[in-house]
Structures are given as structure tokens and as C-alpha cells.
Amino acid sequence: MDSIVASQLPITANVNDLGHLEVGGRDLVDLQREYGSPLYVFDEATLRENCRIWKRAFEDHVPRVQMFYAAKALAYSGILDVIRQEGWGVDVVSEGEIRAARHVGFSSKDVVFHGNNKTPDELRLALEFGTKVVVVDNEYELSVLSDLATQAGKTVPVMIRVNPDVDPHTHEHISTGQLDSKFGLPISTGLAEKVCRQASEAPGIKPVGIHFHLGSQIETVEPYLAAIDLAMKFGAEMTQKYDFRLDFFSPGGGFGVRQNGTEVPTPEYFASRISERFQESARQLGVALPTLLLELGRSVVAQAAVAVYMVGSLKHIDGVRSFAAVDGGMSDNIRPALYGAEYPIAVANRMDEPATQSYRIVGKYCESGDVLVNEAKLPTLEHGDLLVMPMVGAYAPAMASNYNMAYKPAVIMVSEGEVRMIRRRESFEDLIRLES
Ligand SMILES: Cc1ncc(COP(=O)(O)O)c(C=O)c1O
């Protein structure tokens, strides 16, 4: 098997005597026959292992830490439930995600509420259900939240999301830490301090910490270290100037995962360097060590899933290239088209055959940009071959659409040979149910 593919598959993956790829003790060819394609197959063992590795990595280095899963990466109940069982909390950004967290039984103290434009209704819901903190992103939100909390006779713990102006060196569409960003309150322009002061004076609001999030798929630790220095110093200043507590501190999430050959630091490396700098910074500033809150999405779920597609049309254009079209594409995974995400790909029913041909793997939707893999080296493809794409657990099914009236794919979870349906494939009836 290709080494890049092998390094990105779920931990239970292996090739059986038929040359077929198995995940969670199940042959993907059999699963496609039973559930159709495109099919998203989650491996429960990988999901649990990722939760444990990351949790342990931080707990080994920091006395008080709480792990949160960024539900935006994928918020289906079957996924959230496993993560809850692993002792994680959840970071939510919308009414739907708040309700999804409640639906699977997360308690209020395990929910943090994010977003750059939370609506009054969403804030009301967060107040009603209760959250550990609301992470305030801007002045308007603070004033609406203060009014709503006062009306409800409550006091809401809030963290202030600062923008430290640190470039995480990732794709601009998934970068949030630089000054020119819709997220967070810049420290350098004075806006973050203004909102911290307002938070310390606003009725119904109790400021308890500082938060930043630099972006996603961050492949080095240095941006975190630079931002921790700035944000901790800022937080310490706020405690001296205002009625502001630094009980909690969060460097967000965004840890990169292996992408088509790129190497990224291990969880242990990210966790030890971040924890070290965080504790060193608290010591130097003379503040009591806050509880560290982490919010991981991609690094928890990406590797836990593979997508299975069936090859349909094959087209060779002399002197140009060969195209292989599959039965899914941008409707179930828009990430390659949206921001150039790269995935390896292999033939699930012929894993042991040598890769001899180059193909562009395209979807079936009506956009030229509907490309899943720009150039893949594969065995000579035949109609009906099954392609397997690793690392699709994060932000792929979460961003699925009904473009071309596509039915969102089935998502299943496999564990020791057993299959659980996480979300069945949509039908035409599902698509027209809300129309009048
Ligand atoms: C505030 C916040 N926290 C955490 C995350 C999770 O990021 P990732 O999935 O890259 O870990 C995001 C995602 O963009 C986010 O916006």
C-alpha cells in the first residue's frame, strides 16, 4: 500500500486476502454493496484514540485543563456522543449546535459558546440552557448579552476572544489570527481592552478569561507560542486594571493533521510546548495559573473517517490527461474546491496493485471546479472500482450540500466488525419535505 495513504488511514485499517481495504473489521467493498456510495465510514477506535491521546497529552503537562470538541468539524449525534463518553466538552457556534450538544446529553458546564455574530435568539437559548462560558467576540454581542442576562436575572461568565495579530501560516480561508479578520478583538488597536473594560462594568456579565483561535490546519507550534505571550500579558493587564478575572485561558484549536504527505508535530509535541509556554508566562507575569481550555476539531475527527466512491466514467484526452469521475464530489466534500485541501486516494478493491497511471479524480456535479484530487497515481482504473479517500472526517460531511439535488451521503460507524448508522443517505423525500 502507498505509504502516504497508509499513514492517513484509520488505525484499524488493513488489507485483507482479497486485496480489499478493511476498516474497523469490515471490508469496504462489502460496506459499499450494503450502504451504497458515496459512503463515509467512521472508525470508532480511531475517534476514541484521538480523544485519549490529545487529552492525555495536555493533562500530562498542565494541572487544570478541559478539552472541548469543536462541533463545527462534524456535529452528528453519533459522533458527539462518543466524544462526550471520552470526557470531552463541546464548543458550539449556533442554535443547531447548542441543541445538538443538549440532545446527546452534554451538561452546561461542558459547553462553550462561540461565534462572531451570535443572534439574540441564540444568546437567549445559551442563557436558558446554560453554558460554561460565552466567548464574546465583539462589542455589540456584549451589550445584547448584558441586556438579556439582566432581563433573565442571571450573571453570565464570559471569555473575551482577542485577536493577537499572529499569522498562523495556513490557507487564508481558514486563518483567523491575523489583524484583518472578522473574528476576535484586536489587542494592538485597543479594541480588546475597550471590550474587557465594558465587560467588567456591564450588568449580568462576569469576565473570567481570555481566548484566541489562530486558524485551522496549523502545522507548527510557533504561532501558538507567540500568541500565548501576547494574550497572557494582555489578560494579566486586564486583571490589574479592571474587575476582570483570568480563571480560564484558551489558545483555541487548529492543530494540523497530516495532509497528502505533509508532516505535522505530534500531539505530545504541540501539548508540551504550549503547556510549557503557558505556565512560564503565568509565572513571569505573577498571575495564578488559569485553567487551560482547548478546542480541537480537525485533529479529533479527520483521520477517523474514510470516504468510499465508485468510479463511473473514465476519459482520456490525448496529450492532456486522464479523468476518472466518481459518484460523489463537491456536494459531499467541498474542501478541495473551496480552499485547495489535498487528499491522497487509493483503490479500495485493489490495494495491493502498483500505481502506474495518473488521473484527475473529479466529481459528478456541474462545476468544472468539482475536483477531488488534482493528480493521483493509481492502478489502471476500471468502471466500478471503489476509491477510498482518507482523512475526511473533519469539515467534509459537515459542509455537505444538496447542490444538483444531491442526496447527502450515508455516514456509518464501524467498530470490531459491527456497523452503526450515524446518518442514513438522504432521499428525494428528504429534499422536498420542506418545500411548499
Ligand atoms: C473558535 C474555534 N475554536 C476551535 C476551532 C477548531 O479548529 P480545528 O478544527 O482546526 O481544530 C475553530 C475552527 O475554526 C474555531 O473557530
Side-chain angles (χ1 to χ4, degrees):
M1 193 193 319
D2 176 275
S3 63
I4 292 177
V5 172
S7 71
Q8 300 190 24
L9 285 168
I11 58 175
T12 62
N14 73 288
V15 177
N16 65 21
D17 295 344
L18 300 169
H20 297 178
L21 186 66
E22 290 187 350
V23 172
R26 293 297 296 259
D27 184 325
L28 292 183
V29 176
D30 293 341
L31 291 176
Q32 191 278 339
R33 220 172 273 140
E34 197 166 338
Y35 299 98
S37 48
L39 178 66
Y40 280 70
V41 182
F42 271 83
D43 178 44
E44 186 170 341
T46 305
L47 185 55
R48 289 190 185 276
E49 181 69 0
N50 284 346
C51 289
R52 287 170 197 175
I53 288 175
W54 279 103
K55 191 164 188 284
R56 207 179 308 129
F58 280 99
E59 286 177 352
D60 279 352
H61 296 285
V62 188
R64 282 176 310 285
V65 54
Q66 191 174 357
M67 305 301 290
F68 292 85
Y69 167 63
K72 59 182 77 71
L74 185 60
Y76 292 159
S77 302
I79 307 293
L80 293 182
D81 198 36
V82 170
I83 292 169
R84 186 190 56 77
Q85 289 167 21
E86 291 297 326
W88 285 50
V90 64
D91 139 18
V92 296
V93 296
S94 65
E95 168 171 344
E97 288 187 4
I98 296 174
R99 290 191 185 279
R102 291 288 291 198
H103 179 65
V104 301
F106 281 100
S107 76
S108 323
K109 68 176 179 19
D110 293 329
V111 178
V112 297
F113 186 28
H114 270 286
N116 72 309
N117 188 21
K118 304 172 185 80
T119 66
D121 280 349
E122 288 172 329
L123 290 168
R124 213 173 278 118
L125 192 70
L127 278 171
E128 189 186 319
F129 285 171
T131 56
K132 183 183 183 75
V133 288
V134 172
V135 182
V136 167
D137 181 273
N138 54 71
E139 285 177 276
Y140 171 65
E141 175 188 339
L142 182 67
S143 73
V144 175
L145 185 60
S146 171
D147 288 348
L148 292 172
T150 314
Q151 282 159 26
K154 294 188 173 170
T155 300
V156 200
V158 304
M159 291 172 79
I160 302 298
R161 177 166 178 173
V162 299
N163 176 331
D165 193 13
V166 170
D167 184 349
H169 302 294
T170 185
H171 192 285
E172 65 172 309
H173 289 186
I174 51 175
S175 175
T176 58
Q178 74 289 0
L179 188 60
D180 185 2
S181 166
K182 74 169 183 170
F183 294 105
L185 294 151
I187 296 177
S188 60
T189 65
L191 189 55
E193 174 161 355
K194 182 176 172 211
V195 175
C196 285
R197 180 176 52 73
Q198 286 170 347
S200 72
E201 293 164 357
I205 300 289
K206 181 178 165 201
V208 292
I210 295 291
H211 177 284
F212 69 81
H213 173 74
L214 297 177
S216 201
Q217 189 54 29
I218 300 173
E219 298 178 350
T220 60
V221 77
E222 282 71 25
Y224 290 97
L225 305 184
I228 286 170
D229 286 346
L230 290 164
M232 281 291 287
K233 181 165 173 286
F234 174 77
E237 271 171 35
M238 296 304 101
T239 63
Q240 282 155 13
K241 291 187 172 172
Y242 309 111
D243 184 10
F244 194 104
R245 301 180 62 91
L246 194 55
D247 297 339
F248 303 106
F249 181 81
S250 179
F255 303 112
V257 295
R258 259 170 275 139
Q259 275 192 348
N260 212 7
T262 55
E263 277 305 318
V264 290
T266 60
E268 170 56 28
Y269 183 80
F270 268 128
S272 62
R273 297 288 310 276
I274 286 172
S275 306
E276 200 177 90
R277 184 62 71 95
F278 164 59
Q279 292 175 100
E280 180 56 30
S281 169
R283 249 192 315 276
Q284 280 178 4
L285 294 161
V287 294
L289 191 69
T291 300
L292 189 65
L293 310 184
L294 279 310
E295 301 162 353
L296 283 63
R298 184 189 309 280
S299 47
V300 173
V301 282
Q303 194 197 349
V306 298
V308 180
Y309 298 102
M310 184 176 278
V311 175
S313 70
L314 292 160
K315 179 165 81 175
H316 177 73
I317 303 178
D318 275 342
V320 181
R321 70 175 75 253
S322 296
F323 290 90
V326 297
D327 51 4
M330 66 189 295
S331 148
D332 64 90
N333 188 351
I334 191 135
R335 298 186 62 250
L338 189 63
Y339 43 74
E342 290 183 16
Y343 295 93
I345 198 154
V347 185
N349 53 308
R350 292 190 283 131
M351 291 297 287
D352 39 17
E353 289 188 21
T356 50
Q357 286 247 37
S358 275
Y359 292 94
R360 176 164 288 179
I361 310 299
V362 297
K364 69 192 299 300
Y365 302 105
C366 294
E367 290 283 324
S368 293
D370 180 21
V371 174
L372 284 173
V373 181
N374 220 15
E375 184 152 359
K377 247 323 186 24
L378 295 170
T380 304
L381 292 175
E382 291 165 19
H383 312 295
D385 273 335
L386 296 184
L387 298 187
V388 57
M389 211 178 192
M391 299 299 270
V392 296
Y395 301 106
M399 291 185 183
S401 78
N402 296 117
Y403 179 54
N404 288 176
M405 291 292 265
Y407 308 147
K408 288 186 191 167
V411 178
I412 58 175
M413 177 94 79
V414 287
S415 178
E416 297 179 352
E418 299 292 319
V419 179
R420 282 203 311 282
M421 181 59 74
I422 297 291
R423 192 174 197 265
R424 67 165 172 75
R425 185 177 312 285
E426 287 180 346
S427 64
F428 179 64
E429 287 66 37
D430 292 322
L431 262 55
I432 58 164
R433 201 175 34 219
L434 303 179
E435 295 180 7
S436 49

